[in-house]
């Protein structure tokens, strides 16, 4: 209300000035507006008052929108949405070294993560197995503005070391004869390897409203940033833009350049041109600056909003990714029939689209503490099922930070994900079975036909000390991999994070 009281005189002055212009220079349009009121009983001055009142209402509505919490970006606190400040590191100030680095513009986060999954029951393979993976990740920024004078000029980098290529999903939970559509351990990347996630130059323009980034980059630097990766289940980790299968998450780089422009304090338009390289995740590309293997370009566009709704923060986005890189059809051949028996092979598509969207909204505030409360998130993706075996994915979750007064920084999370597999992919599986004459699911040569799956996770996260997070949880997999013949599975999990 204080903001409202401050701005109302400005609104009143603007109203008077606007009405003067409206009267002096818009008489023709004014008459046309009057003619839109056909009721015979109205006098012209009465009609004028109606139009003027409508004009006033628009002014006040614009003013309220402009000064309302929806446009006050400085009041936005995303802690309950999962965007917490970095915890106190275990190494502290490192005998003053960290302070010296910070004073010279170098900031960094060094963290360790491990994820354990145990197949408690069900799944494709019932043999008990405890799968373990871990990673070290260094993310850093070097400020260049203090030396160059260029606004927000900086070098950004990310290096990730992953170990123990041990994936419970394909080893036990789902049928390995179909493509996986989710992971019990989201950080599994298929390799034990150290690789460059990104190395980019960034700066701002137009009083810091426009941010430009260029270099060897990853999409997470600019796009799909509204949902944190707190769950261990991959489909509940962050947004759904990675489901396009044309770019990678986190620790894989390709060349590109992006722009992000703040249209308003809460609304940002993002776009870019990025390399589409199927070989980017290969071991040979881990530190490579080469574009060898590139097939085309990606053109992502996203609109992101971070408003306050009823005084509580939220984040919303909608994105589209277009690529001209050839994508292979999952069933159709170049001659029109099945690609598996087409002499010319499978058809390719040089123009494919992918859409993703999401929201992350705080629903309640615990007493008077803005850092405690309930939030909900929803994310989805829609892909071209001719070339992408995951046609539709929908994920919803609830998070509560600080449910117990004695544990104000603990988290409870619950999420569900529904995945619909491509009909073209399923069609090809059926065709391959007809070619081989195999109809017995237990025959190793049989190709399972996927449909849909539903996966869920519940976790509790706590910090015994500031630099250590422990997150035990449980997962339930219904139709793992989308195969109804695979028994539903229970997975017990433990996620550990250490901040150095």
């Amino acid at each position: 209300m204080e903001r409202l009281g401050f701005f109302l005189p400005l609104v009143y002055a603007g109203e008077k000035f606007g009405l003067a212009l409206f009267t002096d220079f818009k008489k023709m349009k004014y008459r046309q507006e009057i003619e839109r009121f056909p009721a015979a009983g109205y006098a012209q001055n009465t009609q004028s008052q109606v139009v003027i009142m409508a004009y006033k209402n628009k002014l006040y509505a614009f003013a309220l929108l402009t000064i309302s919490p929806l446009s006050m970006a400085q009041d936005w606190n995303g802690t309950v949405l999962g965007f917490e400040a970095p915890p106190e590191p275990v190494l502290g100030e490192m005998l003053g070294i960290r302070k010296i680095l910070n004073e010279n513009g170098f900031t960094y986060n060094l963290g360790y993560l491990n994820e354990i999954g145990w197949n408690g029951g069900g799944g494709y393979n019932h043999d008990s197995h405890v799968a373990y993976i871990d990673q070290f990740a260094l993310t850093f920024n070097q400020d260049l503005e203090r030396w160059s004078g260029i606004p927000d000029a900086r070098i950004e980098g990310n290096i990730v070391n992953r170990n123990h290529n041990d994936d419970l999903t394909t080893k036990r939970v789902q049928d390995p004869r179909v493509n996986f559509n989710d992971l019990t351990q989201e950080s599994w990347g298929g390799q034990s390897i150290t690789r460059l996630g990104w190395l980019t130059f960034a700066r701002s323009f137009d009083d810091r409203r426009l941010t430009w980034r260029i270099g060897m980059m990853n999409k997470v630097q600019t796009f799909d940033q509204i949902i944190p990766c707190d769950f261990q289940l991959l489909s509940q980790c962050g947004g759904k833009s990675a489901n396009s299968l044309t770019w990678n998450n986190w620790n894989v780089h390709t060349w590109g350049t992006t722009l992000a422009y703040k249209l308003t304090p809460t609304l940002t338009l993002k776009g870019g041109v990025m390399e589409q390289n199927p070989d980017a995740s290969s071991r040979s590309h881990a530190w490579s600056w080469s574009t060898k293997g590139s097939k085309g370009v990606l053109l992502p566009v996203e609109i992101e909003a971070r408003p306050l709704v009823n005084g509580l923060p939220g984040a919303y986005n909608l994105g589209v990714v277009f690529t001209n890189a050839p994508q292979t059809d999952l069933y159709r051949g170049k001659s029109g029939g099945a690609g598996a028996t087409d002499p010319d092979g499978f058809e390719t598509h040089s123009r494919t689209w992918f859409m993703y969207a999401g929201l992350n909204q705080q629903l309640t505030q615990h007493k008077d503490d803005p850092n405690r409360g309930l939030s909900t998130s929803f994310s989805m993706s829609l892909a071209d099922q001719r070339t992408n075996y995951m046609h539709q994915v929908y994920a919803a979750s609830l998070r509560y930070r600080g449910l117990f007064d004695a544990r104000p920084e603990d988290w409870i999370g619950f999420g569900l994900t529904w995945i619909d597999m491509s009909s073209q992919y399923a069609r090809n599986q059926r065709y391959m079975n007809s070619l081989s004459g195999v109809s017995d699911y237990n025959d190793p040569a049989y190709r399972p036909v996927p449909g849909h799956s539903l996966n869920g996770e519940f976790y509790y996260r706590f910090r015994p000390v500031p630099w250590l997070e422990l997150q035990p949880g449980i997962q339930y997999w219904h139709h793992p991999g989308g195969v109804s013949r695979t028994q539903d599975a229970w997975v017990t999990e433990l996620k550990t994070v250490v901040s150095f």
Side-chain angles (χ1 to χ4, degrees), residues 129-384:
H129 179 68
V130 177
Y132 173 89
I133 61 171
D134 66 11
Q135 71 174 26
F136 290 89
L138 171 65
T139 302
F140 62 87
N141 281 273
Q142 175 60 59
D143 178 24
L144 302 179
E145 181 177 3
R146 63 184 63 205
W147 295 301
S148 66
I150 302 174
D152 292 332
R154 60 193 181 273
I155 299 294
E156 309 162 319
N158 171 266
I159 299 171
V160 179
N161 165 255
R162 282 181 168 170
N163 301 286
H164 309 291
N165 183 14
D166 192 8
D167 174 37
L168 185 67
T169 307
T170 54
K171 286 185 175 181
R172 294 293 187 273
V173 176
Q174 77 154 67
D175 194 323
R177 296 172 293 180
V178 295
N179 296 336
F180 67 84
N181 61 13
D182 209 344
L183 290 174
T184 58
Q185 302 141 284
E186 51 82 19
S187 284
W188 177 76
Q191 302 171 7
S192 293
I193 191 173
T194 301
R195 60 166 65 245
L196 177 69
W198 61 78
L199 185 62
T200 53
F201 169 80
R203 62 154 299 178
S204 65
F205 299 88
D206 192 18
D207 195 23
R208 290 178 166 81
R209 283 188 288 268
L210 176 66
T211 299
W212 172 54
R213 179 175 284 113
I214 189 170
M216 295 181 289
M217 62 176 47
N218 187 277
K219 71 177 185 65
V220 301
Q221 292 178 269
T222 303
F223 301 98
D224 208 8
Q225 300 174 325
I226 69 166
I227 299 175
C229 184
D230 50 349
F231 286 85
Q232 186 167 308
L233 198 63
L234 177 63
S235 62
Q236 287 289 331
C237 170
K240 296 294 171 285
S241 57
N243 291 343
S244 70
L245 307 182
T246 55
W247 55 4
N248 298 89
N249 268 340
W250 183 237
N251 68 328
V252 177
H253 67 270
T254 56
W255 284 98
T257 182
T258 62
L259 293 169
Y261 185 75
K262 284 188 172 293
L263 302 172
T264 71
T266 61
L267 192 64
T268 303
L269 179 64
K270 305 175 181 182
V273 180
M274 301 176 68
E275 172 193 7
Q276 204 288 308
N277 191 338
D279 295 335
S281 60
S282 66
R283 183 172 291 273
S284 62
H285 197 272
W287 291 88
S288 175
W289 53 268
S290 172
T291 59
K292 182 179 180 181
S294 295
K295 301 299 182 182
V297 297
L298 294 167
L299 301 176
V301 177
E302 179 182 321
I303 188 76
E304 177 191 279
R306 297 201 174 198
L308 294 175
V309 179
N310 295 324
L312 298 175
Y316 303 78
N317 71 352
L318 173 64
V320 175
V321 183
F322 168 81
T323 182
N324 66 353
Q327 306 295 308
T328 303
D329 198 287
L330 296 173
Y331 171 77
R332 189 179 178 87
K334 292 183 178 179
S335 301
T341 52
D342 193 317
D344 297 323
F346 287 88
E347 184 179 358
T348 58
H349 304 275
S350 59
R351 292 180 179 85
T352 56
W353 295 83
F354 175 84
M355 185 188 78
Y356 63 94
L359 65 87
N360 189 6
Q361 178 64 51
Q362 183 174 343
L363 300 178
T364 67
Q365 179 174 301
H366 190 95
K367 298 180 181 178
D368 295 325
D369 190 344
N371 295 324
R372 298 171 64 187
L374 176 68
S375 66
T376 184
S377 68
F378 172 82
S379 58
M380 61 82 64
S381 64
L382 180 63
D384 187 340

Side-chain angles (χ1 to χ4, degrees), residues 40 46 66 78 80 88 102 119 127 158 168 194 226 232 238 292 298-299 351 364 402 409 420 425 439 491-493:
T46 304
T66 303
V80 176
E88 180 182 340
N102 291 345
N119 54 323
D127 293 341
N158 171 266
L168 185 67
T194 301
I226 69 166
Q232 186 167 308
K292 182 179 180 181
L298 294 167
L299 301 176
R351 292 180 179 85
T364 67
E409 295 184 352
D420 178 47
Y425 178 48
S439 58
V491 174
T492 304
E493 64 181 32

